[in-house]
Amino acid sequence: MSAPLTTAAGVKHRIGSWFGRGEIEAPADIESAALRSDRFRLEREGDWRRLEDIVVAMEKGGTRRITDEDLLALPTLYRTAASSLSVARETTLDAATLTYLESLVQRAWFQVYGPRKGLFGWLREFFLGGWSRAVREIWLDVCIALFVMVAGALVGWLLVLQNTDWYYRLVPTNLSDGRVPGASRDVLLETIEVENETAGLSVFAAYLFSINAGVCILAFALGFAFGIPSLLLLIHNMAMLGAMVWLFASAGLGWEFGAWLSVHGTTELFGILLSGAAGLHIGRSMAFPGERSILDAASESGRRGAVVMVGVVLMMVVAAMLEAFPRQLVEGAASRYLIGGAFLLFWIAYFFVYQPQRAEDGQ
């Protein structure tokens, strides 16, 4: 319909039409989309605003600043906003509404499902049940890793027993420190005697921690290849230990070497056992994911293994301190066995006897 000439707009329209510059009317489909977007936003805007007010109040002061009615309505409002966001993405509504909803849903998610624990709360839960629970949850992998470690030590012993050349293949030169086949009993005994001075032991402890932690982290990290590299690493390390045990036992110093090793070995070997088991746990879950996808299985086992590994790193710190100080300064096989045995009992009791109730289970 042409605009009447009696009005200013009509005159402008008519003059513009003479030069081909009349007002361009929006196509029907664009106008319809705009109306649909406005209607969508207006119908739900009240819930979005209420959710935003609740989220802002919780961000400022937690749940103390909101009423019971708002607290009960929070999950429903969050799901409504998430549903609105899904619809907005599918129907390509205006960018401003989409940006607002994405920000609102993300903030609400942290308030509904986000972690509520601080660092101290996490540490408290970790030491008072979380760590030991994670270890018990991978008990099958711990048993497999223990079997592999014992088998590796026997293999190392038997290989050197058959041919002493295997000793030099299994034990690196930088770790032998005079402990080689053919060395006299006195020379071997001297390598496991106490130190006369404490200078440099702190540096020695840091050096030992870096080596032990590296072995444990490597055993865990290689687990993604279905756990096979982790098991091979355990076999290699234990074969080296088996070779050294053979060396001292053949010289009649098996008891003394066991005492020297037990001071730190009960903690260090326990940590290596757990790290290998954690790596195997990831690899085994990837090989046999069950009804889960491989990524979901790896993610779940990875989170459990990560908890175990946090504790293993702490065990390596303890092992390094024991290896640098009590092992070097405490004299007498009985005293050394007492220290090593006490730590072994402590770890066994903590992981398998101490089983506190999970906080959420007690509710």
Side-chain angles (χ1 to χ4, degrees):
M1 179 181 293
S2 302
L5 292 175
T6 55
T7 62
V11 173
K12 182 180 179 181
H13 177 77
R14 177 59 58 88
I15 294 175
S17 66
W18 293 345
F19 297 95
R21 297 187 301 176
E23 292 181 357
I24 301 176
E25 296 181 356
D29 54 345
I30 297 179
E31 184 177 0
S32 175
L35 292 174
R36 188 171 65 249
S37 175
D38 290 341
R39 186 168 59 251
F40 176 84
R41 178 171 50 80
L42 292 173
E43 288 176 350
R44 295 163 176 81
E45 194 171 20
D47 290 338
W48 300 347
R49 295 298 182 189
R50 186 184 178 190
L51 176 61
E52 184 178 17
D53 292 340
I54 296 174
V55 170
V56 170
M58 294 183 70
E59 289 173 343
K60 290 181 177 178
T63 58
R64 293 172 300 177
R65 301 173 65 92
I66 62 175
T67 63
D68 294 341
E69 290 77 11
D70 286 342
L71 185 61
L72 292 174
L74 176 61
T76 303
L77 293 173
Y78 165 72
R79 288 192 290 270
T80 301
S83 176
S84 300
L85 176 60
S86 177
V87 173
R89 286 174 171 170
E90 291 295 329
T91 56
T92 61
L93 295 176
D94 61 279
T97 302
L98 191 59
T99 303
Y100 170 78
L101 281 175
E102 288 178 341
S103 174
L104 178 61
V105 170
Q106 185 178 34
R107 292 164 59 196
W109 183 90
F110 278 104
Q111 297 301 327
V112 177
Y113 300 108
R116 292 286 182 272
K117 297 177 183 176
L119 176 60
F120 292 104
W122 184 87
L123 289 174
R124 181 175 180 274
E125 199 279 333
F126 175 78
F127 286 111
L128 300 181
W131 182 18
S132 61
R133 188 179 305 114
V135 170
R136 289 193 300 276
E137 288 174 349
I138 63 170
W139 66 270
L140 179 58
D141 307 283
V142 173
C143 293
I144 296 174
L146 179 61
F147 173 79
V148 170
M149 290 178 70
V150 173
L154 290 176
V155 168
W157 174 292
L158 293 175
L159 286 176
V160 180
L161 179 64
Q162 297 296 323
N163 187 346
T164 55
D165 290 342
W166 276 102
Y167 186 89
Y168 300 98
R169 299 173 185 173
L170 296 175
V171 181
T173 305
N174 59 332
L175 295 180
S176 61
D177 191 25
R179 298 183 284 256
V180 295
S184 65
R185 187 178 188 278
D186 293 337
V187 171
L188 293 177
L189 185 61
E190 185 179 354
T191 62
I192 57 176
E193 288 185 340
V194 298
E195 297 286 340
N196 296 323
E197 56 183 18
T198 59
L201 291 184
S202 298
V203 178
F204 185 48
Y207 170 72
L208 295 173
F209 167 74
S210 64
I211 293 178
N212 297 335
V215 172
C216 293
I217 292 174
L218 189 61
F220 172 69
L222 293 177
F224 75 93
F226 304 108
I228 296 175
S230 299
L231 297 179
L232 292 177
L233 188 62
L234 294 181
I235 292 175
H236 175 263
N237 279 275
M238 294 307 296
M240 179 176 62
L241 178 61
M244 296 188 70
V245 172
W246 170 87
L247 176 66
F248 281 88
S250 62
L253 295 172
W255 174 259
E256 289 79 3
F257 180 74
W260 176 82
L261 179 65
S262 68
V263 175
H264 71 285
T266 51
T267 299
E268 180 180 314
L269 294 178
F270 215 136
I272 293 175
L273 168 66
L274 296 182
S275 61
L280 176 63
H281 182 63
I282 295 177
R284 195 169 57 83
S285 65
M286 294 176 65
F288 306 100
E291 297 180 354
R292 303 167 296 177
S293 67
I294 293 179
L295 288 179
D296 290 342
S299 176
E300 181 180 344
S301 59
R303 288 193 296 271
R304 189 177 297 118
V307 174
V308 175
M309 285 305 298
V310 171
V312 167
V313 173
L314 298 177
M315 292 179 72
M316 291 302 102
V317 175
V318 175
M321 299 298 290
L322 291 171
E323 189 172 1
F325 294 99
R327 193 193 72 173
Q328 306 295 333
L329 302 175
V330 175
E331 189 175 8
S335 300
R336 288 176 168 178
Y337 274 118
L338 181 61
I339 296 174
F343 273 91
L344 179 61
L345 291 176
F346 170 77
W347 295 124
I348 292 176
Y350 176 74
F351 289 128
F352 302 108
V353 179
Y354 172 64
Q355 299 184 19
Q357 189 177 21
R358 196 192 299 261
E360 48 268 33
D361 294 341
Q363 295 177 351

